[in-house]
Amino acid sequence: MSVLIVGSTALDSIRTPHGARDRLLGGSASYAAVAASFFAPALMVGVVGGDFPTRYLSLFRRHGIDLEGLQRRPGRTFHWAGEYESNMNRRRTLLTDLGVFAEFRPDLPERYRRSPFVLLGNIAPALQLHVLRQLEKPRFVAADTMDLWIETARSELLELLRRVDLFILNDTEAAQLTGESNVVTALRRLHALGPRFVIVKKGEHGAILSSRSGMFVAPAFPLARVVDPTGAGDSFAGALMGRLARGRGPWESRLRRAIFYGSVVASFCCEGFGLTRLDRIQLRDIEARAALLRRYTRI
Amino acid sequence: MSVLIVGSTALDSIRTPHGARDRLLGGSASYAAVAASFFAPALMVGVVGGDFPTRYLSLFRRHGIDLEGLQRRPGRTFHWAGEYESNMNRRRTLLTDLGVFAEFRPDLPERYRRSPFVLLGNIAPALQLHVLRQLEKPRFVAADTMDLWIETARSELLELLRRVDLFILNDTEAAQLTGESNVVTALRRLHALGPRFVIVKKGEHGAILSSRSGMFVAPAFPLARVVDPTGAGDSFAGALMGRLARGRGPWESRLRRAIFYGSVVASFCCEGFGLTRLDRIQLRDIEARAALLRRYTRI
């Protein structure tokens, strides 16, 4: 089954201790759609400007991503520039030029509206809600977010949370939204806001899935070399939804497997700048690393 | 088989966001011996002063800990006082009064020297080496350490590392000792220093075991309420060695199981001040939580 992915499409200029790259393909929808495409057909909704390089459109097409929902507008593509500190755990934004993204209105093409699996990638909660309203009986809806929206659009975010199946956020955002630094307690408070499934991402330390029936403590794949962590969270969410769309059985066990694959794909993402590494791997590489991670976690 | 545990025995005054307690039973040997005692007979080597409360000796005896190696000297017992910040991830030492511990020389009673399993808890590397020299053909020796020794006794620590089977340290210490903040790379450098097994502890994020045949990514038990993390690392190491002493088969798989139990016991440790929670549980409580953690990690 297919996965509809809505989010940002951007050009990223990134500096890490391993080097610097200018105007890479970036944005939450780009990472998530490529990551999802290994497992399921991905339909993308985003917006790019007249300066968006053709080679990036080719990259999307090479991964079989449906681009009918990718809007092309006169103007500049969203451009973000950032820099990572030596241990990769903190990043500094150097530039945010919204360009055509400032006026982004994620209107879905007719045939996108019946998508069974939907990932509302990190964009303003009001836009995520706008997408929700256009959907016709989706089977499973996941939403990601970021610190900015928790701070500036809390009421829309809370409205959104009452209407999604899965909410994905990182540990810092979970503490920010709930006022609770303990992850287990934060998870309880997040459930009370609506979603029956919540995933708290912990970067190199893995992730925790929480549901009414308990928790799943998911490992991260231990990497010797992190070149660029940009997009790791979006790749995690995209791969997770792709794998979920392909699964069978009860949601809980499907989600566990999906998170495991999300971790594996996110680890590939970190091994290169932007999407360069994900663009070069295939499902068999993901399966090989998943087998290794299974070995690393077997008691 | 029995486990010999050498380390500090102390009185700890601790303040955390959940309250404050004065002159609790503490020290690396105390935590490790109680934790090991759930799985195997524990023999303890440490030193206490004339002020050491009888009730703490009773506690050790209640857990069946062999105290022939616990030296009693005129003077004050090692007293440490510390305070945790709100998120429990940083602590501040308020007082360190070494007392009789300043002159501690861990001489082993005759019958301790043939101990098959040995945990060199966190004390000066010169003292850990002194214990090593008295041992007669131990089967498995593990050593713990702390930032202080990496800074002030690096050459003795390096000598020790050439002679132990397992080296246990936390992620900060691993970075400090190797100059490498990436855990996977740090692990490789630690193996090059001697030990065929290395465990890097990551607190609430679990631990990673590394050996020539690969890695084991061990989960931590997700706790809703951390009352006092003091001694969690020592409890982890003690339980690990106790479980290892009871196991069978190849070291690699025995160690995986042992680490898993180490995590579980450490989680109990954090639920009360000092040793109060560990003192009140039994093996069946540990088994119940181990079963839950297995459920939390099953894909």
Side-chain angles (χ1 to χ4, degrees):
Chain A
M1 281 198 258
S2 62
V3 183
L4 169 62
I5 287 160
V6 185
S8 60
T9 29
L11 298 174
D12 288 349
S13 296
I14 299 167
R15 182 185 298 277
T16 86
H18 294 280
R21 296 291 184 282
D22 199 34
R23 300 170 77 78
L24 292 165
L25 175 57
S28 58
S30 306
Y31 282 103
V34 172
S37 73
F38 293 110
F39 307 98
L43 292 67
M44 191 164 81
V45 174
V47 63
V48 297
D51 59 349
F52 193 71
T54 319
R55 67 180 185 282
Y56 293 158
L57 293 173
S58 311
L59 187 152
F60 288 139
R61 287 197 191 99
R62 202 159 60 237
H63 289 273
I65 297 165
D66 187 316
L67 299 179
E68 194 190 332
L70 184 64
Q71 305 164 15
R72 286 146 234 214
R73 296 271 179 272
R76 296 179 316 279
T77 302
F78 180 9
H79 184 200
W80 176 82
E83 183 173 51
Y84 289 84
E85 289 181 15
S86 61
N87 71 0
M88 301 281 190
N89 288 331
R90 266 198 292 191
R91 80 174 179 195
R92 205 155 59 93
T93 290
L94 303 172
L95 169 95
T96 306
D97 174 9
L98 291 177
V100 295
F101 188 67
E103 306 295 322
F104 180 42
R105 204 181 143 80
D107 295 316
L108 305 187
E110 186 59 36
R111 64 190 178 81
Y112 278 35
R113 299 184 183 188
R114 289 177 304 276
S115 297
F117 290 85
V118 180
L119 173 58
L120 303 170
N122 170 29
I123 46 173
L127 298 184
Q128 294 173 312
L129 281 165
H130 177 66
V131 173
L132 262 191
R133 284 186 209 106
Q134 300 167 71
L135 296 171
E136 293 165 17
K137 295 202 183 180
R139 292 190 55 191
F140 195 95
V141 178
D144 198 349
T145 195
M146 73 183 290
D147 49 0
L148 177 68
W149 313 123
I150 296 173
E151 212 174 294
T152 64
R154 183 179 284 253
S155 70
E156 290 98 327
L157 180 61
L158 294 178
E159 191 187 332
L160 177 78
L161 292 186
R162 288 193 287 273
R163 302 171 60 180
V164 299
D165 300 290
L166 167 63
F167 183 39
I168 306 172
L169 71 178
N170 72 32
D171 43 6
T172 317
E173 292 154 2
Q176 188 192 357
L177 182 55
T178 63
E180 176 58 57
S181 65
N182 179 286
V183 176
V184 181
T185 312
L187 280 166
R188 282 180 202 152
R189 295 197 187 169
L190 289 165
H191 280 302
L193 299 176
R196 63 188 159 129
F197 298 109
V198 180
I199 293 173
V200 171
K201 296 174 289 181
K202 306 194 295 172
E204 66 179 299
H205 303 302
I208 296 187
L209 162 72
S210 171
S211 69
R212 264 145 219 158
S213 67
M215 284 185 276
F216 171 53
V217 180
F221 185 83
L223 281 181
R225 190 176 146 91
V226 175
V227 172
D228 171 19
T230 309
D234 303 312
S235 306
F236 171 84
L240 183 162
M241 287 301 283
R243 189 62 183 73
L244 194 69
R246 195 166 113 159
R248 279 181 197 193
W251 290 119
E252 174 86 27
S253 51
R254 278 166 82 165
L255 265 171
R256 287 180 178 227
R257 189 162 293 115
I259 290 170
F260 190 82
Y261 277 91
S263 272
V264 169
V265 173
S267 77
F268 279 110
C269 178
C270 295
E271 289 182 317
F273 279 96
L275 271 158
T276 54
R277 181 88 170 108
L278 281 193
D279 185 33
R280 285 194 201 106
I281 60 166
Q282 296 188 302
L283 185 55
R284 63 168 175 269
D285 302 302
I286 296 170
E287 292 293 358
R289 187 169 285 183
L292 193 56
L293 185 54
R294 264 187 219 105
R295 259 209 338 257
Y296 284 175
T297 50
R298 194 169 292 144
I299 293 166
Chain B
M1 283 199 257
S2 62
V3 183
L4 168 62
I5 286 159
V6 185
S8 60
T9 30
L11 299 174
D12 288 349
S13 297
I14 298 166
R15 182 185 299 275
T16 86
H18 294 280
R21 297 289 185 280
D22 200 34
R23 298 171 77 79
L24 292 165
L25 175 57
S28 58
S30 306
Y31 282 103
V34 171
S37 74
F38 292 109
F39 306 97
L43 291 68
M44 190 164 81
V45 174
V47 62
V48 297
D51 59 348
F52 193 71
T54 319
R55 69 179 184 282
Y56 293 158
L57 294 172
S58 311
L59 186 153
F60 287 140
R61 287 197 191 96
R62 200 159 61 238
H63 289 274
I65 296 165
D66 187 318
L67 298 178
E68 194 190 331
L70 183 64
Q71 305 165 16
R72 287 146 233 217
R73 296 272 179 270
R76 298 179 315 278
T77 301
F78 180 9
H79 184 201
W80 175 81
E83 185 171 49
Y84 290 85
E85 288 182 14
S86 61
N87 71 359
M88 300 281 189
N89 287 330
R90 267 200 293 189
R91 79 175 180 196
R92 205 155 59 93
T93 291
L94 302 172
L95 169 95
T96 306
D97 175 9
L98 290 177
V100 296
F101 188 68
E103 307 294 324
F104 180 42
R105 207 182 140 79
D107 295 315
L108 305 187
E110 186 58 37
R111 64 191 177 79
Y112 277 37
R113 299 185 183 187
R114 288 177 305 276
S115 297
F117 289 84
V118 180
L119 173 58
L120 304 170
N122 170 29
I123 47 173
L127 299 183
Q128 294 174 311
L129 282 165
H130 177 68
V131 173
L132 262 192
R133 285 185 207 106
Q134 299 168 70
L135 296 172
E136 295 165 15
K137 296 201 183 178
R139 291 190 56 192
F140 196 95
V141 179
D144 198 350
T145 196
M146 73 183 289
D147 50 358
L148 178 67
W149 314 123
I150 296 173
E151 211 175 296
T152 65
R154 185 179 281 254
S155 69
E156 290 98 327
L157 180 61
L158 294 179
E159 191 187 332
L160 177 78
L161 292 187
R162 288 192 288 273
R163 300 170 61 180
V164 300
D165 300 290
L166 167 63
F167 182 39
I168 306 171
L169 71 177
N170 70 32
D171 43 5
T172 319
E173 293 154 1
Q176 188 191 359
L177 182 55
T178 63
E180 177 56 58
S181 64
N182 178 286
V183 176
V184 180
T185 313
L187 281 166
R188 283 181 200 151
R189 295 197 186 169
L190 290 165
H191 280 302
L193 299 175
R196 65 188 158 129
F197 297 110
V198 179
I199 293 173
V200 170
K201 297 175 288 182
K202 306 193 296 171
E204 67 180 297
H205 304 302
I208 296 187
L209 162 72
S210 171
S211 70
R212 264 146 219 157
S213 67
M215 285 185 276
F216 172 52
V217 180
F221 185 83
L223 282 180
R225 192 176 143 91
V226 174
V227 172
D228 171 19
T230 310
D234 303 313
S235 306
F236 171 83
L240 184 162
M241 287 300 283
R243 190 62 183 73
L244 194 69
R246 196 166 114 158
R248 278 182 198 192
W251 288 119
E252 174 86 27
S253 51
R254 278 167 80 165
L255 265 170
R256 287 181 177 225
R257 188 162 294 114
I259 291 169
F260 190 83
Y261 278 90
S263 272
V264 169
V265 173
S267 77
F268 279 111
C269 178
C270 295
E271 289 183 318
F273 278 97
L275 271 157
T276 52
R277 180 86 170 111
L278 281 193
D279 186 33
R280 285 194 201 108
I281 61 166
Q282 296 190 302
L283 185 55
R284 64 167 173 269
D285 302 304
I286 295 171
E287 292 292 0
R289 187 169 287 185
L292 194 55
L293 185 54
R294 262 187 220 105
R295 266 220 319 267
Y296 283 175
T297 51
R298 195 169 292 145
I299 293 163

